[in-house]
Structure formats: C-alpha cells, structure tokens
C-alpha cells in the first residue's frame, strides 16, 4: 500500500454514485456510513427512474477514503445488481467513485488515493475494481463510458476476458458488481449569456471554444437559448488548464466579432477558492495572491 | 445595555493598540487575556521606539468583545501612563480599539458593539471612554487624531472641560488613561505598480484618485517610487464604496493617458472574502456570486 504525506489543510471531494434511488432507507445507511469524523456530506440526490443516488462529500483525504470504503461495503451488502433496474447505465452497487483534489492536494495525490481505496475494496471486500480517468492503468479505461460498456450484465459474461481484467480484486462478479474508482479535476459549470437572442451565435462560439472541436483545452461547451438569451453553457473540466478569465476573454472577443457582447455570467454549483483567486489574480495583475490573505480563510485554518 | 441578534457565522475583527512595546511579559499577559474561546489572534506586533503593541484578533462578536474587555483590564493594571514614554501618540494603556465587520455583521452592528464595550469599560473598569469614527457621538470625535490631541498628558489637564467629557466612565484620568473605542470598515492596503520609473506620474494619479483632493470616495492614495517603479500606494477604507476593480480601472485609464500601463499590483495584509467576490463578480459579470459557492467556505460553515 502506498502512503503519502498530507497536511492538515488537505481537502478532497468525492462524488460516489450508488445504484439505489428508490429505497431511501438503503441510501440513508450508505449516507450514514460515509460520514466519518471530518467528512461533510455536501449534497445527496436520488432519482427513481435512474434508480441511482449521488452523494457529494468532502473532507481530509484519509477520512474521505475511510467513509467511501464503509459506504461501498454497505452498498455491496444492500444492493443486488441481479435485481436492479434503472435507466442509468451501471456496473455495480457502488458504480463510480471520482476523487477530486480541492486544496493542498494534487490530482496525482488523488490517483494515489484511488489506488489505496481500490486495493482495499478489492482485497477486503472482494469486489472487482476498475480505475478510470486520471487513475486509469490503460488508455482504454480513461473514459468512464468505455469502462461501463455492456453494464453489469455484460461484465458478468466478459470478466474472464483479458481486456476486462480488474485492476484490483477477484476476476469474478457477484451481486454487488464492480466498482469504478478514479481521479479527476474539479469541474466548474459556468454559463455565459450574450446580449442577443440569436442562439446560432452561441452555438458557433461554443463550437470554436470546446476542446473536442479543436478549441480550448479542458473546455466543454454547448450553445443554448435560455429565457430568450443566447447562452454559452460550459464545463471547465480543469480550471488550472483553462480558467474563467480565459473563457471570458475568448467569448468576449468572438461575441464582439458578431457585433454583440457578454451580458452576464452564471456559476452552477460550487467552485474551488483557487478558481476565484485566479480570477482576481488575473484581472488585478496580482501574481502573489494566496488563500492566507483572505481573512475568513486565515481564521479557519 | 443594547443587545443585538447575531448569527453563528458573524465575525468581527478588532485591532487594539496598547501602550506597551518593551516589556514582553506584559504584552504576553494582554495577548493571553484577549484569547477567549473562539477568538483567534491573527497578528501581534510590538515596537520599542513607539513603545506600543498592536494585536489583531477576529472571532464571533460576543467573544471578541469579552476578550477586549479582559485585555483592557489587564493593560489598565499593568501600564502606567505617568511613566510611559514612546514616539507614538497615545491617550491610554489601551489606546485605541477599532471594531471592524468581517462577515454577516454590519458597520452599524459594530457601532452597537463599541457602545456595549465602552459602557462596560466605563462602568466596571472605571476608565474614561471616547467613541470615534463610525461610533463617534459628535463630529469632532470622528477623527482619531482629534480625539488623541494633547495625548495623555493633555487629557489629565483638560478632562473636566465640557468638550472633553467622555462618552462613558468617570470624568477623571488615572494611570491607565482613557480608551478610544470605535467602529470602521475593513481597510484594504493595495498598491498598484506602473510600467514606468517616473514617480511624478504615480503622484499625479494618486492626487486625482484620493478622496481628500476630490477623487474617489473612501480612497487614500500616495505616489511612491518603489524599487525603481512608480507605485500608487492606496488604502481603500471602505471597499464597499470603492473597491479594487474601480481603482484598477481608474488607474489604468489615467496611466494610459500618460502613455504607460499597470505593471502589477500587490496586496498588503489581508482582505475580506467579500472583496474578492466583488472582483470576480465585476470582471465575470457574475451578479449572483455568493460565498456559499466557494467549496472551502461551504465546508467550514
């Protein structure tokens, strides 16, 4: 097992997805199991049609990993994939567990953490584990959809094939299925509204800035019409590669080429403090801004 | 006594100045007295020539006020103004106590707090108390320098005169002198460097933007030459009146009139998170940004 140095300010987030969205007592048990001392449950969402629940937790790395282990154990005991039905694709009782660096902890540290958790789940709970995204051990496993292809039912058939060999745990599938564990950067969901109702402009700008069509790295974008206004709806999947100021300036420039301007912007959900510091640092030309200079942060350390 | 509602997220800062900068054991005792449960000592600075120490503390309003009361008590017992010598002007053992709103607490709340503390210091410790700045009861007492005019020695002579009547406490001065208590906004010390070594440009810009010469409200500014670069050195004494984006844009405009640009900026000390949110909100045109959207903040609530 790999050990790593973490300091007492280190924080990670995890967003485990469980294949149970109907029996709320089961979700209660999982949610209780995950809340170790220091671990904060930030969000809990269950969906009947998907028959799936998503928990968002954050805290010190060791505590979060312990909570995840306990939750995976409870889910494996309570959820039977042979009985499970739902709209959302899934491979196991605990379907997927992304680990996300928040503070004084790197993506590489989260990869190490994913390996620690995966090894323990494989050995002690006897579940097959696949590592994905930044933690993937082969390029074919980076993409979650690829790992989940064929779902639980397909994996039961295919697990003995070489290309489906788990990264940890037994080469056999029980009623709890397999667990997909990985590491990724924090995703910022950010929308920019234009001073126009012409959705085509938002669509063209979106196509130009998103990575998949040769735009900016780590940017996903879609042009939408929202309440009569053209909107560039984005996911910044690694704000340290492409952050808020960069997309703002790119969109501002393109909008001006179309004779329009940015009207306003909107942040969906949370963002790490570092993303905010990056914004201030960029626009104020203030290279040395550090979290300790925020009085509330200094107080809570 | 006035009572007010505070919620558990309310935070105030206080920066009490004590007339002792040489006997470190006395400062130790004061610093111990101020650290009630919940009160964080953020900074401690003592100066031999000034013979003065400045403590910066923050915490929940009730705890901070209790800590200040205890510290004022210790200082009154340990410091004898009849013996005190130092370069810095002073009126008492605890010379001045500004209360500063940080979070979920307004300047008006701090004025109430200053009155509560002043009443208690006057009644229970028997010290004359003057209220200043936002807490001043007369316009002649708003300015700290005016309240401190003549220093301790002058006050001993003049305290029975009507214009020197204390806001709380006895009309007589003992060895602990008087305490000046007030409320003000958080002060942001912010410097902007220009891409020129011509200090005259910084001096002209400073004169144009500072309130005292008809510039921007709540801005103090001075043009300096720092390490070969022209610097506009500012105190933003109420960032909710004039914040970082406003001074940046004003300086940028004026610098461009002189054929130069902003090189970089620098923040001295701390700033409240709200000031940072205001920067992001301004440049991202993101009106709805709230502290709860910062993940570290959401975690610590």
């Amino acid at each position: 097992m790999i050990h790593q140095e973490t300091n007492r300010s280190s924080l990670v987030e995890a967003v485990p997805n469980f294949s149970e969205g109907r029996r709320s007592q089961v979700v209660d048990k999982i949610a209780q199991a995950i809340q170790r001392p220091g671990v904060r449950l930030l969000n809990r969402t269950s969906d009947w049609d998907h028959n799936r629940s998503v928990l968002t937790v954050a805290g010190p790395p060791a505590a979060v990993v312990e909570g995840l282990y306990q939750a995976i154990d409870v889910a494996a005991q309570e959820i039977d994939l042979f009985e499970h039905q739902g709209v959302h694709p899934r491979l196991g009782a605990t379907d997927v567990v992304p680990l996300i660096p928040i503070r004084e902890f790197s993506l590489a540290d989260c990869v190490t953490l994913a390996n620690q958790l995966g090894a323990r789940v494989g050995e002690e709970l006897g579940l097959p584990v696949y590592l994905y995204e930044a933690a993937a051990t082969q390029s074919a496993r980076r993409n979650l959809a690829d790992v989940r292809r064929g779902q639980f039912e397909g994996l039961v058939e295919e697990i003995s094939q070489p290309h489906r060999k788990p990264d940890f745990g037994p080469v056999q599938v029980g009623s709890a299925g397999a667990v997909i564990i990985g590491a990724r950067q924090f995703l910022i969901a950010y929308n920019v509204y234009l001073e126009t109702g012409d959705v085509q402009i938002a669509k063209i700008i979106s196509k130009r800035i998103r990575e998949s069509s040769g735009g900016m790295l780590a940017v996903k974008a879609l042009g939408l019409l929202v309440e009569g206004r053209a909107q560039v709806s984005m996911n910044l999947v690694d704000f340290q590669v492409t952050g808020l100021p960069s997309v703002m300036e790119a969109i501002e420039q393109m909008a001006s080429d179309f004779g329009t301007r940015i009207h306003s912007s909107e942040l969906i959900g949370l963002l790490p403090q570092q993303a905010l510091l990056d914004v201030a640092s960029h626009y104020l030309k203030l290279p040395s801004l550090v979290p300790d200079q925020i009085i509330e942060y200094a107080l809570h350390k």
Side-chain angles (χ1 to χ4, degrees), chain A:
Chain A
M1 170 149 333
I2 303 155
H3 286 277
Q4 73 225 82
E5 293 296 320
T6 70
N7 67 48
R8 110 197 147 77
S9 295
S10 296
L11 280 181
V12 294
E13 189 184 64
V15 192
N17 289 224
F18 302 94
S19 296
E20 177 56 67
R22 297 176 187 173
R23 296 175 298 160
S24 64
Q25 284 168 316
V26 171
V27 185
D28 288 347
K29 270 181 96 165
I30 293 169
Q32 280 159 23
I34 213 167
Q35 291 177 74
R36 317 301 300 174
V39 175
R40 182 74 67 97
L41 180 61
L42 292 172
N43 190 274
R44 170 180 166 169
T45 306
S46 296
D47 186 86
W48 178 277
D49 292 327
H50 287 186
N51 196 7
R52 190 177 179 88
S53 295
V54 179
L55 304 183
T56 304
V57 294
V64 167
V65 157
E66 179 61 28
L68 289 168
Y69 175 82
Q70 299 296 341
I72 292 167
D73 190 9
V74 171
Q77 292 169 40
E78 299 285 342
I79 302 168
D80 182 350
L81 267 288
F82 289 108
E83 305 288 327
H84 182 269
Q85 294 197 315
V87 172
H88 199 288
R90 76 285 179 270
L91 214 54
T94 301
D95 186 50
V96 57
V97 183
L99 294 162
I100 301 141
I102 297 296
R103 189 174 72 198
E104 298 186 24
F105 207 73
S106 67
L107 184 62
D109 293 332
C110 280
V111 169
T112 305
L113 219 55
N115 274 275
Q116 289 174 357
L117 178 62
R120 197 170 162 207
V121 167
E123 288 161 23
E124 299 179 25
L125 301 182
L127 302 175
V129 172
Y130 296 94
L131 297 175
Y132 83 114
E133 287 225 4
T137 53
Q138 33 187 286
S139 60
R141 290 185 182 172
R142 285 193 77 84
N143 189 328
L144 179 60
D146 293 337
V147 180
R148 206 154 47 193
R149 189 153 296 145
Q151 299 196 47
F152 170 74
E153 292 76 8
L155 187 66
V156 171
E157 306 291 323
E158 292 181 357
I159 191 157
S160 55
Q161 297 179 22
H163 76 284
R164 306 251 25 198
K165 185 178 187 300
D167 289 301
F168 297 105
V171 186
Q172 68 182 63
V173 190
S175 64
V179 186
I180 309 168
I181 300 175
R184 61 164 171 84
Q185 291 289 10
F186 193 93
L187 183 155
I188 298 176
Y190 185 62
N191 300 328
V192 171
Y193 290 89
L194 304 179
E195 284 187 348
T196 173
D198 184 352
V199 68
Q200 286 311 317
I201 296 175
K203 283 182 193 292
I204 294 167
I205 290 176
S206 296
K207 192 173 175 193
R208 285 193 194 158
I209 66 168
R210 67 180 167 239
E211 180 173 358
S212 66
S213 48
M216 305 172 87
L217 293 176
V219 174
K220 297 179 180 185
L222 216 57
L224 302 172
L225 187 69
V226 178
E227 291 170 13
R229 226 176 251 293
Q231 184 200 72
V232 181
S233 176
M234 287 168 283
N235 280 341
L236 306 185
V237 300
D238 188 344
F239 71 89
Q240 287 170 320
V241 171
T242 300
L244 297 163
S246 305
V247 294
M248 278 301 277
E249 292 186 349
I251 294 171
E252 199 151 14
Q253 180 59 52
M254 291 183 223
S256 127
D257 294 344
F258 284 106
T260 185
R261 297 175 58 209
I262 290 175
H263 173 269
S264 58
S265 74
E266 158 182 74
L267 179 71
I268 309 298
L270 305 177
L271 90 175
Q273 185 171 255
Q274 189 58 51
L276 200 63
L277 289 170
D278 291 348
V279 171
S281 194
H282 174 86
Y283 288 106
L284 301 178
K285 301 187 179 183
L286 181 55
S288 64
L289 189 62
V290 295
D292 278 347
Q293 290 184 281
I294 303 170
I295 187 160
E296 287 89 340
Y297 183 89
L299 278 172
H300 278 127
K301 274 199 94 168

